[in-house]
Amino acid sequence: MSRDHDLSTIAREQHGLLSLEDLRRVGVPAADVTRRCHDGRLTRLHPGVYLMGGAPITWHARQLAACLTTGGVASHRAAAALWRIGGLHPGRPEVTVPRTRRVRLVDTDVRVHQSLAFDLVDATVIDGIPVTGLTRSLVDLARFTGPARLGHAVDEARRRGATWPELWECLVLHARRGRPGIVRLRTVFRERYGDRDPESLLERIFLRLVADAGLPRPDVQVVVHDTHGFVARVDVAYPDARIAIELDSLRWHLDAAAFEADRRKRNRLKLAGWQVLEFTWQMVTEEPRLVVAQVREALRVAGVAA
């Protein structure tokens, strides 16, 4: 009786579900699992996932069962329904798993996505179900929905606490991995983000992009001197490799005096033996793979393993 009570307690927290691990942890032997299935106390939904006898098979139960058996997370349209963005209602259970994971399911109505960017899912839990993070859910949704609905989903995500730095950062990281839907999502972001100066945000996104690519972390706001004294303060740099990286917003270039000063500074850096890379907001957000490739090449030329 104590064992059954423990199982009931676990199942109540999991939409009526029990995993094989739950059963073993409570002390139910394999033979008893088989007997419970035969007499109706358990119903096998997927390999290693069971529904307690008498529990309803709800959408939440089917979605969680798919997550438990695959080790994945609710994603795409299912994630949008759980996050309540995009006006989507529960439909087919949908999960994302790592590309390398093999999946066996009993319920063939479950959509399974294999992802090379599983490390970016930013998983959380909603209604007891593991689900992709809010910003990743927008990226996944962009693949399957039009601009109007996607725009509403972005607005709803913002109301639920997603910040512009988080949204842009998520977009750029997934763009580097070549994920579908990025162009559509970037267009929606531009419409809503407007023409604000992205200079500080650009530095944050660039640093995350470099880290995601597995490159050495650069220093920020580096002061450079030559034999004549102060040369410049560089946005981002690898001082030991003498690589200076300048991150330029559009507003900076529209200032004529600043534009001229910038050219002088960069000439002095080059004469002092520094490689100088220049990246704009557009380059980082639209061509992140190129940006990473150029930083990697600069490190290679400088003899730094990357």
Side-chain angles (χ1 to χ4, degrees):
M1 292 296 292
S2 175
R3 183 179 294 168
D4 287 341
H5 177 269
D6 291 342
L7 291 175
S8 295
T9 300
I10 296 170
R12 278 196 298 272
E13 297 174 352
Q14 299 182 160
H15 302 285
L17 300 178
L18 294 166
S19 68
L20 189 57
E21 182 180 344
D22 295 329
L23 292 161
R24 288 172 175 167
R25 188 169 63 249
V26 172
V28 178
D32 196 16
V33 174
T34 302
R35 282 193 296 271
R36 287 169 181 263
C37 289
H38 285 162
D39 64 24
R41 284 180 290 166
L42 292 175
T43 300
R44 182 173 180 267
L45 297 183
H46 291 295
V49 181
Y50 304 86
L51 184 73
M52 283 282 285
I57 306 179
T58 62
W59 179 82
H60 284 78
R62 292 179 61 220
Q63 179 63 61
L64 180 56
C67 294
L68 290 174
T69 196
T70 62
V73 296
S75 64
H76 296 77
R77 286 148 293 202
L82 286 166
W83 279 108
R84 296 174 178 82
I85 60 174
L88 294 177
H89 301 287
R92 290 172 62 182
E94 206 159 359
V95 296
T96 287
V97 300
R99 175 64 62 86
T100 55
R101 184 169 300 166
R102 298 182 65 182
V103 173
R104 292 188 302 119
L105 296 170
V106 173
D107 186 351
T108 57
D109 197 42
V110 176
R111 292 188 181 100
V112 178
H113 304 273
Q114 293 178 302
S115 175
L116 287 172
F118 191 78
D119 58 310
L120 297 178
V121 297
D122 190 28
T124 186
V125 176
I126 298 177
D127 297 338
I129 299 172
V131 59
T132 49
L134 184 53
T135 53
R136 169 61 180 261
S137 297
L138 283 174
V139 171
D140 289 339
L141 185 61
R143 181 178 180 178
F144 297 104
T145 192
R149 172 166 283 178
L150 186 58
H152 290 310
V154 170
D155 293 341
E156 289 161 353
R158 292 275 294 135
R159 285 193 289 271
R160 281 163 175 71
T163 66
W164 279 119
E166 291 168 342
L167 291 169
W168 277 111
E169 185 177 280
C170 185
L171 182 143
V172 169
L173 294 181
H174 285 87
R176 191 182 80 81
R177 310 285 184 93
R179 197 159 188 83
I182 289 297
V183 173
R184 184 179 300 131
L185 187 59
R186 186 188 293 119
T187 299
V188 171
F189 280 8
R190 280 178 174 167
E191 290 173 352
R192 282 156 171 75
Y193 187 70
D195 296 325
R196 282 171 282 174
D197 183 2
E199 192 167 353
S200 60
L201 177 55
L202 182 57
E203 182 178 294
R204 166 180 167 157
I205 293 174
F206 175 82
L207 292 174
R208 181 64 194 278
L209 184 60
V210 166
D212 183 66
L215 298 175
R217 179 177 175 83
D219 296 335
V220 298
Q221 299 301 313
V222 175
V223 176
V224 178
H225 294 85
D226 63 11
T227 56
H228 301 290
F230 175 80
V231 174
R233 181 182 294 274
V234 179
D235 294 332
V236 181
Y238 294 98
D240 293 341
R242 288 182 170 266
I243 299 171
I245 300 169
E246 294 287 72
L247 304 172
D248 297 320
S249 67
L250 179 62
R251 189 176 71 177
W252 174 260
H253 284 298
L254 291 178
D255 185 324
F259 181 86
E260 293 296 329
D262 204 35
R263 303 285 79 70
R264 288 193 293 271
K265 175 181 76 172
R266 292 175 190 182
N267 283 342
R268 288 186 66 187
L269 283 168
K270 292 173 185 177
L271 290 171
W274 285 67
Q275 293 186 71
V276 180
L277 299 179
E278 302 178 49
F279 299 124
T280 65
W281 171 259
Q282 183 172 335
M283 292 172 69
V284 171
T285 58
E286 295 191 10
E287 302 177 277
R289 283 181 283 188
L290 174 63
V291 170
V292 167
Q294 291 184 348
V295 174
R296 193 185 303 276
E297 176 63 13
L299 289 167
R300 186 196 66 79
V301 169
V304 178

